[in-house]
Amino acid sequence: MQDKDSVIVIGSGIGGLCAGGLLAYYGKRAIVCESHLTPGGAAHSFRRRGFEFDSGPSFYCGLTDSQSLNPVKQVLDVLGESIQVIPYDPLGHYHFPEGTIAVYSDAKRYYPEVERITPLGATELQRFTERLLGLYEAMRGIPTLALRADWQVILTLLKNYLPSLVKMLPYLPLVQSSAGNVMDATVQDPWVRRLIDLECFLLSGLKAHGTIAPEVAFMLGERSRAGVEYPVGGSGAIVQALVKGLKRWGGQLHLGCHVEQILVESGKVVGVRLESGEILKAPIVISNASIWDTYNHLLRPEDLPANYRQAALETPAVDSFMHLHLGIRADGLENLTGHHVVVHDSQQDITVPGNTCMISIPSVWDASLAPERHHVIHAYTLEPYTGWERNQEYEEKKRQQAQSLYRALEKIIPDIRERVVVELIGTPLTHAHYLRRYQGSYGPAIAAGKGMFPSTHTPIKGLYRVGDSTIPGIGVPAVAASGILCANTLVNRHWE
Ligand SMILES: Cc1cc2nc3c(=O)[nH]c(=O)nc-3n(C[C@H](O)[C@H](O)[C@H](O)COP(=O)(O)OP(=O)(O)OC[C@H]3O[C@@H](n4cnc5c(N)ncnc54)[C@H](O)[C@@H]3O)c2cc1C
């Protein structure tokens, strides 16, 4: 029997958990089916020999500040959950061949760092930042929680947010624009242009001209106003809080529950078939799997209009990653800081695989993540999926491709190789396998102004999508926003 209030969510990424949690709160019978034995998707944590590793994200802003724009915080508040965090500043160090700068959330401390490299550039960076902070301030009047992905959003905005809407009007051209356009209008200095490209790349996988301006405005605003913080217990703590919130409102999470097919009859969703063969019926199914996985593997080709399917599957993808998860001895590393970005070669583009390496050492903030006198490290860099196969050369290729990460780590901990007690090297195949993501991609590479994100709707009645291929801005806040938009669209509720 199909229960009219049942909703099945395929996947427990942050997008799926936010949608499922909110729908449970709204009174729906929400069931989240997750393939993996651990929830959280790209944001899950895992434990090996006493080390708690973040599989992906470890950079967060505004998880606890009541004024924060972070949609994760808004969902946690609704569900009655919260997490503990450790604030820190500087938020990281950027290591370029020409020098290292500390990146402070507090702009007044950040500009002098840039000034050491380029005084004129520091002034231009300030102009760029202030332009985007204006947009952030205008965005603050309309919480994501109030939004939905259908025409009724207009009613909500006109009824409850008219003054904020008016405040947004002067910024409308900027909302449509790329961070690159703002950079072109404010920054000439080549070094600062590269710095802006780097920050956009860290955020979206694309440089400034590919990254939408509101995404950068959000990042700059949240980090300077709400501050940067690390969740106690790692990324998994955010996932656990969302799971607790889902269950608190009667929702269910089924782990090790792989959905094989979304069942469609006469253009309408009727449920899903699990790998076990069991059929779960529901009039609403929300897929948190990527656009490629949903349309290629979970639906039959005939379920979708051919043109729509083809266009969706042609969505360009950001590359996958090489990962290095290390447990190391910490003796003599008392002054270590937590986030580092190393650019090896200034002559090469920052997006070239291996050239830009991201490093986080979260045990400097939360010592419980590693055994006593040890640290936990996650380093990663872009790596194309093509060419990777589990053949005889696999182990050797893995070690070779991890060398750029080791070289980056040596800039921070020169004797890193002698300190390693746990070493896990992940390739695009690892990423694709554990995260159930098409080619292990970071997400869609839809450049600003070059295409529309497909949103939560699909051509199939009752089938919706959430996650990083539905909304601009890959990252935890963006996918949480996608969960909110989807959940709100399915109920008749208007937040004030
Ligand atoms: C290395 C790395 C570093 C990052 N750093 C940051 C950062 O510092 N800050 C930040 O904000 N963001 C960061 N991100 C981005 C952020 O982690 C992701 O954008 C976000 O977590 C993606 O969430 P999602 O909702 O799209 O779902 P996903 O995380 O993709 O989860 C989808 C879930 O669906 C499940 N699934 C798929 N198919 C099925 C099926 N058929 N049946 C059942 N279950 C299925 C998968 O197993 C998975 O659990 C990082 C990402 C990576 C990879």
Side-chain angles (χ1 to χ4, degrees), residues 15-209:
L17 287 175
C18 287
L22 282 178
L23 286 166
Y25 172 83
Y26 294 147
K28 298 280 181 188
R29 200 171 148 262
I31 302 174
V32 180
C33 299
E34 168 57 52
S35 261
H36 207 330
L37 296 174
T38 312
H44 80 272
S45 296
F46 62 96
R47 185 166 270 271
R48 292 284 185 285
R49 291 174 42 200
F51 293 91
E52 185 78 18
F53 293 106
D54 288 335
S55 72
S58 51
F59 182 82
Y60 294 102
C61 302
L63 288 170
T64 51
D65 175 30
S66 58
Q67 301 298 309
S68 154
L69 276 196
N70 192 333
V72 178
K73 163 77 175 132
Q74 293 169 20
V75 174
L76 287 174
D77 282 350
V78 171
L79 300 182
E81 296 297 334
S82 61
I83 51 171
Q84 275 187 294
V85 296
I86 300 162
Y88 59 92
D89 205 22
L91 59 91
H93 286 83
Y94 292 166
H95 308 262
F96 296 96
E98 50 286 10
T100 291
I101 56 167
V103 185
Y104 289 96
S105 310
D106 177 357
K108 285 194 200 69
R109 296 181 74 193
Y110 184 31
Y111 298 133
E113 287 287 312
V114 177
E115 222 168 275
R116 283 196 293 114
I117 297 199
T118 158
L120 173 66
T123 314
E124 292 182 341
L125 180 63
Q126 189 166 355
R127 262 208 310 266
F128 170 83
T129 307
E130 279 166 8
R131 180 97 180 95
L132 288 170
L133 285 180
L135 171 59
Y136 170 77
E137 286 303 324
M139 282 168 15
R140 285 184 61 192
I142 306 173
T144 310
L145 192 63
L147 301 178
R148 38 193 300 140
D150 60 6
W151 66 270
Q152 290 195 51
V153 71
I154 298 166
L155 295 184
T156 311
L157 291 176
L158 291 178
K159 192 163 153 243
N160 301 329
Y161 296 97
L162 194 54
S164 304
L165 210 54
V166 172
K167 212 170 142 197
M168 276 292 286
L169 286 179
Y171 290 96
L172 282 185
L174 210 52
V175 170
Q176 304 289 331
S177 181
S178 74
N181 289 345
V182 181
M183 176 171 84
D184 290 344
T186 50
V187 181
Q188 302 294 315
D189 183 89
W191 195 86
V192 168
R193 288 177 70 88
R194 193 169 159 83
L195 178 68
I196 292 171
D197 270 336
L198 176 69
E199 293 224 292
C200 291
F201 172 62
L202 298 177
L203 197 62
S204 70
L206 299 169
K207 292 195 290 186
H209 284 97

Side-chain angles (χ1 to χ4, degrees), residues 333-490:
L333 296 179
E334 285 74 24
N335 297 323
L336 201 58
T337 55
H339 279 306
H340 300 267
V341 177
V342 175
V343 179
H344 285 301
D345 183 351
S346 290
Q347 304 309 314
Q348 264 196 338
D349 198 272
I350 50 170
T351 59
V352 168
N355 194 25
T356 302
C357 298
M358 284 62 78
I359 296 167
S360 37
I361 314 171
S363 47
V364 303
W365 307 302
D366 179 0
S368 73
L369 300 176
E372 220 177 311
R373 294 191 298 280
H374 287 79
H375 276 308
V376 67
I377 295 182
H378 176 205
Y380 56 94
T381 185
L382 278 192
E383 173 73 14
Y385 180 84
T386 315
W388 281 93
E389 266 180 72
R390 283 189 200 278
N391 53 17
Q392 279 187 332
E393 287 89 54
Y394 181 65
E395 289 301 320
E396 181 48 30
K397 183 171 176 185
K398 220 165 105 160
R399 266 188 294 278
Q400 263 178 26
Q401 293 304 96
Q403 291 313 306
S404 63
L405 294 171
Y406 268 117
R407 282 194 291 113
L409 274 162
E410 278 169 343
K411 296 209 187 308
I412 295 126
I413 308 170
D415 59 350
I416 181 76
R417 292 175 201 252
E418 282 90 70
R419 291 175 174 274
V420 175
V421 295
V422 173
E423 182 198 62
L424 303 167
I425 303 175
T427 70
L429 298 184
T430 325
H431 201 81
H433 172 74
Y434 281 105
L435 306 183
R436 314 295 192 267
R437 289 179 71 93
Y438 163 79
Q439 300 198 339
S441 168
Y442 180 49
I446 302 178
K450 298 253 166 63
M452 291 290 285
F453 271 76
S455 102
T456 197
H457 296 277
T458 76
I460 298 173
K461 195 160 181 254
L463 178 63
Y464 296 83
R465 293 194 315 105
V466 293
D468 59 21
S469 40
T470 59
I471 192 168
I474 301 170
V476 169
V479 301
S482 79
I484 293 175
L485 293 183
C486 179
N488 286 354
T489 304
L490 295 173

